[in-house]
Amino acid sequence: MPMQPLPPVTPKKPRVTLINAAAYSCAWKLKGSQCFQLRISLPEIMGRSTTTNLVDLTNLPEEYHDFADVFSKTKAGKLAEH
């Protein structure tokens, strides 16, 4: 009896989900789950904005103009050096 060719196998597409740290700590313990992490840790990538928006100081008293960076939306998301 000649060998019959096997039918083609269509691979299943993996289910990819982005979750927070709390959900990840539970998910990696589940039987059959495969968990991967994507971590961006290059200093030149993290904490940088691609745009620089000038702060509108027209409604701010002149004695506060030296503190324009306090009102910057770009710098508001960055922690001060500590």
Side-chain angles (χ1 to χ4, degrees), residues 26-79:
C26 293
W28 76 270
K29 298 175 189 174
L30 296 174
K31 186 177 180 178
S33 68
Q34 292 182 342
C35 297
F36 301 91
Q37 293 180 358
L38 174 63
R39 210 180 281 191
I40 298 173
S41 60
L42 298 173
E44 56 272 10
I45 294 175
M46 295 185 65
R48 300 277 171 110
S49 175
T50 57
T51 60
T52 53
N53 297 334
L54 297 176
V55 179
D56 180 16
L57 301 174
T58 54
N59 295 325
L60 196 64
E62 197 168 317
E63 63 260 22
Y64 296 111
H65 285 199
D66 290 338
F67 303 103
D69 60 335
V70 174
F71 304 101
S72 169
K73 289 182 183 178
T74 304
K75 293 185 180 182
K78 186 178 178 186
L79 289 175

